[in-house]
Amino acid sequence: MSTELVIFNAVKQMTKNADSKKTSVGLYYDFSRAFDIVNHEKLLNKLEKYGIRGVGYELIRSYLANRSQVVNIMNAENHYISSRIMIRQGVPQGSILGPILFLLYVNDLPKALNLGNAYQFADDTSVIITGTNALELSTKASAMSNSIVKWSEANILKLNITKTGLVIFNKSINCEESLYVKLQNRSIPISDHTKFLGVTMDATLSWQTHINVLNNRLSSICGVIRYLRDQVSVCSLRTYYYAHMQSLISYGIIFWGSSVYSQKIFITQKRILRCILNLDQRSSCKEFFCKLDILPVSSLYFLGLVCFVKKYPYLFLRNSGQYSNNMHINTRQCNKLAIPSHKSTYYEKGAYYQAIKAYSSLPKELKNITVFKKFRSSVISYLRHKCYYSFNCWLI
């Protein structure tokens, strides 16, 4: 699973709750030095329960045993080395096996959090709780926090209380003053936004905070381009753009691309383009996007949506799946993605709905491409020709 998929599942749940006029409470827990304090004995017991026995078990046990560490300090004049100390806990980081062992160690955490939907990625854990009134939400959230404290103590992991956050999404009920969530004899402070897996989620899911943070980062990099412009070629600046800017814009764009504030990023992108080519600040950029082979933000948004559908097709239902099993109906629309029933335009701004509409607008020959890399490169070629210059222009 990718961070994008974890965020998608969480946002989809909150959007669905908002469409049903329900309030969602997001609890974001943080473990201190999680990889470093994994208990070897408990980890090996869990592996055995999961069916890892015999030679495989002995290999992992041997991998964890008899590890030691030293501190080595060397400079021009002196050389210091500490005594060797045995490592009796933690999984080795920087390896492939280390993160896998940690995932196995925390694999049973969602079972302990049965009052809400848990979303995990490595040591980042969030829980979405749904309710209709402040008392219900307070009770569920406090019970959830109590469960995760008990699980942490049983598994000898340290919960960082100061970094635990709470955000109320879709405040359809006035619960800001009356909502009280208890965690180890102290209340969890309510925040207007939180950072989760690289994106900043605000209480209204307008993505304004995330876009402002992203825009500031892009603006600072634009200053670097302005400085480098007289030192290197346009080709080198274009490479710098792809390495340091497009990666920032593309990450999480399927979530914030439909926001009314996303135009900010497009304005900054055009300013960057003018800076690369040393154009007048009022000159049109449309032809230069094609010249530099750079996709506008709206095209990157479209690309992110359709690639998400192609990468995770099992998340989307076809029209044929809407029919009863005893009704064998074969129509022209049966293989198209089904648009879920919803009540509000708020739902239509979500990544799930937008991805369906974007993918449905693709030509049939592009949809039929099964290899993901070929699909992505073909869509990029398609977008270079189309050059979407405004958001949601493909919606019908």
Side-chain angles (χ1 to χ4, degrees):
M1 294 180 69
S2 64
T3 56
E4 187 181 48
L5 183 57
V6 178
I7 299 168
F8 176 84
N9 289 332
V11 172
K12 182 184 175 185
Q13 179 64 42
M14 290 183 284
T15 306
K16 186 178 178 181
N17 292 341
D19 192 58
S20 303
K21 302 295 183 182
K22 294 179 180 178
T23 296
S24 302
V25 169
L27 290 161
Y28 300 89
Y29 300 101
D30 181 76
F31 292 104
S32 298
R33 299 170 52 241
F35 281 76
D36 297 329
I37 58 177
V38 169
N39 184 275
H40 289 174
E41 184 181 350
K42 288 188 175 291
L43 173 60
L44 291 171
N45 288 337
K46 289 186 179 188
L47 295 179
E48 193 171 13
K49 288 181 180 178
Y50 293 149
I52 300 174
R53 304 185 181 97
V55 176
Y57 177 86
E58 291 300 324
L59 280 170
I60 295 174
R61 188 179 66 81
S62 174
Y63 177 75
L64 295 171
N66 299 322
R67 287 184 173 270
S68 61
Q69 66 180 25
V70 296
V71 177
N72 189 3
I73 302 174
M74 186 185 301
N75 55 36
E77 299 177 356
N78 300 300
H79 180 203
Y80 303 97
I81 186 166
S82 71
S83 58
R84 190 173 295 272
I85 299 177
M86 297 303 297
I87 301 174
R88 306 194 183 279
Q89 61 183 18
V91 290
Q93 297 188 52
S95 64
I96 295 175
L97 191 55
I100 293 174
L101 292 175
F102 180 80
L103 290 176
L104 289 167
Y105 193 75
V106 299
N107 186 60
D108 58 339
L109 175 57
K111 288 186 178 180
L113 311 177
N114 56 6
L115 292 175
N117 297 313
Y119 302 95
Q120 290 178 273
F121 191 89
D123 58 338
D124 283 306
T125 302
S126 67
V127 181
I128 305 299
I129 295 172
T130 307
T132 54
N133 58 71
L135 178 61
E136 180 186 1
L137 289 168
S138 297
T139 304
K140 284 184 177 181
S142 296
M144 181 71 65
S145 297
N146 185 48
S147 297
I148 199 168
V149 167
K150 287 182 178 179
W151 183 91
S152 301
E153 291 174 349
N155 289 274
I156 319 179
L157 287 177
K158 186 179 179 182
L159 194 65
N160 192 336
I161 301 175
T162 58
K163 288 188 178 181
T164 298
L166 185 153
V167 180
I168 305 172
F169 298 97
N170 182 35
K171 300 169 186 175
S172 57
I173 56 176
N174 187 18
C175 57
E176 288 155 307
E177 296 181 359
S178 55
L179 188 67
Y180 177 81
V181 181
K182 189 177 178 181
L183 179 63
Q184 289 188 338
N185 299 320
R186 61 182 294 179
S187 63
I188 303 176
I190 299 173
S191 176
D192 289 331
H193 62 271
T194 187
K195 192 170 183 179
F196 178 58
L197 297 177
V199 298
T200 305
M201 302 171 66
D202 53 67
T204 58
L205 286 183
S206 66
W207 303 100
Q208 182 180 8
T209 306
H210 177 82
I211 288 170
N212 288 339
V213 172
L214 175 60
N215 195 54
N216 290 337
R217 292 184 68 183
L218 293 174
S219 297
S220 64
I221 299 175
C222 183
V224 177
I225 288 183
R226 190 175 291 109
Y227 174 78
L228 292 173
R229 187 173 57 201
D230 299 329
Q231 315 295 328
V232 298
S233 65
V234 171
C235 183
S236 298
L237 290 176
R238 177 180 172 274
T239 303
Y240 183 84
Y241 166 85
Y242 270 103
H244 293 274
M245 296 185 178
Q246 181 148 310
S247 56
L248 290 176
I249 296 172
S250 298
Y251 184 73
I253 194 171
I254 65 172
F255 309 112
W256 57 262
S258 61
S259 170
V260 294
Y261 305 100
S262 58
Q263 194 69 19
K264 262 188 180 182
I265 305 300
F266 186 37
I267 292 171
T268 302
Q269 188 190 34
K270 289 190 288 186
R271 193 169 83 240
I272 292 167
L273 204 70
R274 294 188 186 103
C275 191
I276 291 174
L277 296 173
N278 198 13
L279 301 173
D280 182 79
Q281 62 178 355
R282 294 186 178 180
S283 58
S284 174
C285 292
K286 191 167 186 178
E287 61 177 297
F288 296 106
F289 275 105
C290 298
K291 183 179 178 180
L292 289 179
D293 200 16
I294 291 175
L295 293 178
V297 174
S298 51
S299 293
L300 290 174
Y301 176 46
F302 183 90
L303 176 65
L305 290 171
V306 297
C307 284
F308 188 86
V309 176
K310 181 61 72 171
K311 195 183 293 185
Y312 306 108
Y314 58 88
L315 294 174
F316 300 88
L317 191 66
R318 304 270 174 179
N319 282 330
S320 56
Q322 301 277 52
Y323 306 138
S324 174
N325 292 331
N326 57 5
M327 294 177 64
H328 303 287
I329 302 175
N330 187 16
T331 65
R332 286 177 295 178
Q333 308 292 328
C334 67
N335 289 322
K336 287 191 173 183
L337 298 180
I339 297 176
S341 58
H342 55 280
K343 302 173 183 177
S344 63
T345 55
Y346 182 85
Y347 185 90
E348 294 180 0
K349 292 180 180 179
Y352 188 77
Y353 180 90
Q354 293 286 325
I356 292 172
K357 298 298 287 185
Y359 189 82
S360 300
S361 70
L362 280 176
K364 188 176 180 180
E365 57 269 19
L366 289 179
K367 294 179 188 176
N368 292 336
I369 300 174
T370 55
V371 180
F372 180 76
K373 285 186 177 180
K374 185 179 178 182
F375 171 80
R376 189 177 186 279
S377 61
S378 299
V379 172
I380 290 174
S381 300
Y382 169 78
L383 289 173
R384 283 172 186 156
H385 174 70
K386 285 281 185 180
C387 193
Y388 288 134
Y389 213 61
S390 61
F391 290 86
N392 300 342
C393 55
W394 59 86
L395 295 181
I396 302 174

